[in-house]
Amino acid sequence: MSMLFVNEERLLKSLEELSLVGNSSDKGVTRFALTPGDLQARQWLQARASQYDLRSHFDAVGNLFIYAQDAQEQPPVIVGSHVDTVPNGGRYDGALGVLAGLESLIRLQETQTPLSRPVWLAVWTEEEGSRFSGGLIGSRAIIGELGKEELKLTDADGISLAEALCSWGLNPDDLPQAARKPGQIHAYVELHIEQGAKLDVAKEQIGVVTGIVGIRRYNVSVKGQANHAGTTPMNLRRDALVAASLMVQAVEQIVRDSGHLEAVGTVGKLQVYPGGVNVVPGQVDFTVEIRDIKMEVMDELVAKVRTRLQEIAAERHVELTWEAAPAVTPSLLDESVQQTIAQVANELGYSWRYMPSGAGHDAQHLARICPTGMIFVPSKDGISHSPAEYTADEDCVRGTNVLLNTIVRLAK
Ligand SMILES: [Zn+2]
């Protein structure tokens, strides 16, 4: 099959330009969802699209869709990502996927490539959750899972999601109309930077994403006995922090030794009570987080960690409470879309590997209503959500070439 190639110069120039649009920071890119800066970025995209005879519209939750004028009534192939960022974020997270999608649509126009399905670019609303907690709001709306209650979510200034949508002239009451049912989207593909170092370390060019990892979180509390640090002999202590420190190490060791190479386990938050320099710690609260792409792997690791923590608690004569916090189900991506991406990468002569995504993406929601795939490109040193985020020009171009030819095959 003959391959299409993107206009490298145009793609790279638009990456440069978009990083400056609506950006309120002089350090990295700061563009929170549904702010004037976010609107400027979307209007910039609309203006760019119209130069190439592409149309666009917003849905009720601020998702922007861009498509060719001759879009048929058939379920579209959608490509997309986001333009909102974390505070002082990078130039590539989200923006690359959006601009690669736009460049692909433009190339399809310019080359008059015959397709039997329409291709849409989606710019999702509030992916990061920097303004309204939880994030992934636009993609939750499109699968019909953004509840009316969530329109009441407020930002740091007390402005609700509904009010923010109204400020853009959108009507939050139309939220149900934004939802799509299974069968109404033919396929979804998202190009994104890896945000990890696997491709960079292995010097591989393309990641074919197998799925987005699930997350299990637990709030753990260890209760011992607070006491005077000067007068309590070592053999009479029930030191909650010493017990907790062994537990923290157990989490690391169990996950490392599990043989599940993609699994990760983290204690990221820990509080010591009463927290005095001269007091034996009486209580420690900490979090345990386990991520993997397979439910059964997470089940196994959680059971092992929990058993070991109970053993440590017994050995150390402390009480342990273990409470589950909200979890995220892993999303497996569509195998035939994965194969299409892999085949395109092969035919383009790029090196690639299958890999899971350790970070959440809008694709995990789309995967619930349509065949979905993701393409990763290398992040230098694995750095992301930082002004130091960097993906080499050639990698941006390669990823976009893979996206473009994947679209052609899905929309044929
Ligand atoms: Zn992103």
Side-chain angles (χ1 to χ4, degrees), residues 81-82 93-94 127-128 192 195 361:
S81 203
H82 59 98
D93 181 355
E127 193 270 351
E128 297 286 5
H192 205 280
Q195 302 179 282
H361 293 287

Side-chain angles (χ1 to χ4, degrees), residues 64-80:
L64 170 65
F65 296 100
I66 296 175
Y67 40 86
Q69 289 191 352
D70 60 340
Q72 303 98 321
E73 290 300 296
Q74 291 215 50
V77 171
I78 300 185
V79 294

Side-chain angles (χ1 to χ4, degrees), residues 14-280:
S14 55
L15 256 172
E16 172 83 46
E17 280 178 48
L18 182 62
S19 72
L20 303 171
V21 177
N23 174 14
S24 61
S25 159
D26 53 4
K27 197 169 176 285
V29 184
T30 299
R31 198 163 42 212
F32 286 180
L34 297 167
T35 57
D38 186 11
L39 186 58
Q40 277 175 40
R42 285 159 197 260
Q43 287 171 338
W44 182 91
L45 289 164
Q46 284 183 297
R48 182 58 60 100
S50 69
Q51 280 174 27
Y52 294 94
D53 247 4
L54 298 167
R55 282 184 183 175
S56 59
H57 76 269
F58 284 91
D59 73 6
V61 76
N63 292 323
L64 170 65
F65 296 100
I66 296 175
Y67 40 86
Q69 289 191 352
D70 60 340
Q72 303 98 321
E73 290 300 296
Q74 291 215 50
V77 171
I78 300 185
V79 294
S81 203
H82 59 98
V83 293
D84 64 293
T85 71
V86 296
N88 304 315
R91 286 172 43 173
Y92 303 88
D93 181 355
L96 175 62
V98 166
L99 294 170
L102 183 60
E103 174 61 27
S104 297
L105 286 183
I106 293 170
R107 285 305 286 155
L108 291 171
Q109 289 276 76
E110 287 173 341
T111 54
Q112 299 281 301
T113 305
L115 298 174
S116 52
R117 296 175 182 284
V119 180
W120 287 27
L121 167 64
V123 186
W124 306 114
T125 297
E126 181 57 303
E127 193 270 351
E128 297 286 5
S130 301
R131 184 173 177 195
F132 297 103
S133 67
L136 304 180
I137 280 178
S139 57
R140 273 195 286 152
I142 206 169
I143 64 166
E145 291 207 353
L146 188 73
K148 278 208 145 170
E149 278 304 298
E150 288 172 279
L151 291 170
K152 295 180 190 154
L153 279 171
T154 51
D155 68 6
D157 298 322
I159 299 169
S160 71
L161 175 57
E163 286 166 338
L165 292 169
C166 290
S167 77
W168 275 18
L170 302 168
N171 183 358
D173 292 338
D174 293 341
L175 184 63
Q177 280 105 282
R180 293 288 172 274
K181 294 193 175 69
Q184 293 184 318
I185 299 173
H186 181 67
Y188 176 72
V189 188
E190 180 163 353
L191 169 69
H192 205 280
I193 56 169
E194 180 196 338
Q195 302 179 282
K198 285 177 191 161
L199 293 174
D200 190 34
V201 166
K203 298 289 163 235
E204 280 165 336
Q205 294 161 337
I206 296 290
V208 179
V209 182
T210 52
I212 293 148
V213 299
I215 308 175
R216 297 279 177 82
R217 288 195 180 116
Y218 300 88
N219 296 317
V220 181
S221 184
V222 178
K223 287 193 184 71
Q225 174 72 60
N227 214 332
H228 195 294
T231 61
T232 315
M234 298 309 282
N235 63 337
L236 294 182
R237 293 183 179 202
R238 289 169 60 220
D239 186 325
L241 181 57
V242 175
S245 70
L246 296 168
M247 295 177 186
V248 172
Q249 294 182 51
V251 172
E252 190 205 30
Q253 197 174 1
I254 287 167
V255 178
R256 275 181 88 139
D257 296 350
S258 68
H260 301 300
L261 298 180
E262 308 283 7
V264 290
T266 308
V267 174
K269 205 169 145 188
L270 184 144
Q271 272 170 315
V272 181
Y273 302 98
V277 66
N278 54 358
V279 187
V280 176

